[in-house]
Amino acid sequence: MRITQSMISQNMLKNISNSYSQIDKYMDQLSTGKKINRPSDDPVVAMRGVSHRDSLGKIEQYERNIAEVNNWMDNSDDALNEAGQALHRVRELIIQASNDTYEENQRNNISKEVDQLKQHLVDIANTKVNNKYIFNGTDTTNARFDQDGQLFNAAEPNNNDVDIELADGIKVRANVNPANAFPADLFAKLDDVVAELENPNASNATIEGFIEDIDGFTQSLTNERADLGARMNRVELMENRIAQQRVATTDLMSSNEDADMEKVIMNLVQAESVHRAALGAGSRVIQPTLLDFLR
């Protein structure tokens, strides 16, 4: 095949253009710190990057869900703790009132405190966090009790679980069973206590009989709080697991996409050397003119 001056020039220009492309590629990697900057650079790396980002997006959503569950559970635990203290105080007052040394006027004063404790328990049962009533099942937009301690929806009270997904296919109940924590007859029984304390003919035995009822409510509340505590421990373990998954996924994504800077710098220096050599050789190829061939 006959090699012409035009062919040599065209090949030289093509090779110099390729050399510029290589330098541009390494400059992009050096400035962005990434192996690729567009899918066409390496489709395999690009597809893996999409997969890793999808996994990381799910992990971030699970982290937000865990934060929501922790907020829900922490507020529930605090509320149940306050409710337990209130019931404990009611028990103390009943024991005091059942003593023969307490007169009718003193029992009336105790009844007023019991009534205030009942109102406090109603407020706790209607605890609202982030515009959600946390003790009314899945009906988080409506309060469970009115100010008298009566269920708003006595026919079908909502005791459903509020399940939140914390991992692929794994859901955890964030709320407590309101029927166990705040049974409807709790406030009715407290009304009976108040009425009996205000009754001048009430016997000590009758008043003392309420202690067993209060103990039953307290035990039910304690059991529900224990169940909540067990789930809080599980959520903590899942939170640690999700954090480990975030680290692992981020590391995979970094290994897949991040450029080896030392290698990139070496490749760039090599490409620049080749480019300068090509320019030097090209200058000698283009240099001859027609007069040079006629000599």
Side-chain angles (χ1 to χ4, degrees):
M1 182 178 67
R2 180 170 176 267
I3 305 299
T4 66
Q5 179 69 26
S6 175
M7 292 173 61
I8 295 175
S9 299
Q10 290 177 359
N11 286 334
M12 183 203 67
L13 291 174
K14 182 182 71 173
N15 291 331
I16 289 177
S17 177
N18 291 337
S19 180
Y20 272 125
S21 297
Q22 285 292 102
I23 292 175
D24 180 63
K25 170 186 173 183
Y26 295 132
M27 287 296 293
D28 283 345
Q29 291 181 358
L30 193 62
S31 60
T32 62
K34 299 295 182 181
K35 291 179 183 177
I36 63 172
N37 293 286
R38 58 188 67 85
S40 59
D41 291 342
D42 192 327
V44 175
V45 172
M47 289 303 297
R48 286 177 182 170
V50 171
S51 177
H52 293 327
R53 279 183 169 76
D54 181 62
S55 298
L56 190 60
K58 289 182 179 179
I59 289 173
E60 291 173 348
Q61 181 59 57
Y62 293 145
E63 288 177 336
R64 289 191 289 270
N65 290 354
I66 287 175
E68 174 70 15
V69 169
N70 281 332
N71 182 52
W72 196 303
M73 288 184 169
D74 289 343
N75 282 280
S76 297
D77 187 57
D78 291 341
L80 294 181
N81 181 51
E82 288 187 30
Q85 292 177 358
L87 288 175
H88 180 71
R89 178 57 181 166
V90 170
R91 189 180 193 279
E92 289 180 343
L93 293 173
I94 292 175
I95 293 175
Q96 291 177 13
S98 63
N99 194 316
D100 287 332
T101 60
Y102 275 76
E103 300 176 354
E104 177 183 343
N105 185 51
Q106 291 174 312
R107 284 182 174 176
N108 285 335
N109 292 334
I110 291 176
S111 71
K112 293 178 182 178
E113 184 174 351
V114 172
D115 184 62
Q116 289 302 311
L117 288 170
K118 173 207 165 185
Q119 295 301 321
H120 180 57
L121 285 167
V122 170
D123 293 338
I124 295 174
N126 288 333
T127 297
K128 193 175 184 181
V129 179
N130 293 334
N131 288 325
K132 295 179 182 179
Y133 290 96
I134 62 176
F135 294 121
N136 197 28
T138 54
D139 186 9
T140 59
T141 58
N142 297 304
R144 188 173 182 84
F145 297 97
D146 60 19
Q147 288 301 312
D148 294 327
Q150 300 293 320
L151 284 167
F152 278 115
N153 189 9
E156 295 181 359
N158 192 317
N159 300 318
N160 298 328
D161 296 344
V162 177
D163 295 325
I164 298 179
E165 187 172 12
L166 302 184
D168 285 335
I170 300 176
K171 294 183 178 182
V172 175
R173 179 160 61 94
N175 66 330
V176 300
N177 189 326
N180 295 333
F182 302 100
D185 56 341
L186 166 62
F187 302 112
K189 186 62 65 176
L190 292 177
D191 285 337
D192 293 341
V193 173
V194 171
E196 201 64 29
L197 290 173
E198 293 176 348
N199 181 8
N201 299 321
S203 65
N204 293 337
T206 302
I207 296 175
E208 189 176 357
F210 290 116
I211 295 178
E212 184 177 354
D213 297 321
I214 298 301
D215 287 343
F217 294 132
T218 302
Q219 185 60 51
S220 178
L221 186 69
T222 301
N223 292 340
E224 200 61 32
R225 193 179 179 192
D227 177 70
L228 175 64
R231 283 183 280 120
M232 291 175 73
N233 291 335
R234 181 188 178 191
V235 170
E236 183 178 356
L237 293 174
M238 295 185 70
E239 185 175 10
N240 294 334
R241 180 185 175 190
I242 291 296
Q244 292 172 357
Q245 288 181 350
R246 169 186 269 277
V247 172
T249 302
T250 303
D251 183 61
L252 283 174
M253 190 167 64
S254 177
S255 299
N256 180 65
E257 298 180 4
D258 290 352
D260 185 346
M261 302 308 290
E262 293 83 357
K263 184 177 180 180
V264 171
I265 292 173
M266 291 297 294
N267 289 337
L268 178 60
V269 171
Q270 184 179 7
E272 288 176 341
S273 299
V274 171
H275 182 68
R276 284 195 295 269
L279 289 176
S283 65
R284 289 191 293 272
V285 170
I286 298 175
Q287 187 176 12
T289 65
L290 179 60
L291 292 176
D292 295 321
F293 288 106
L294 294 176
R295 288 174 184 171

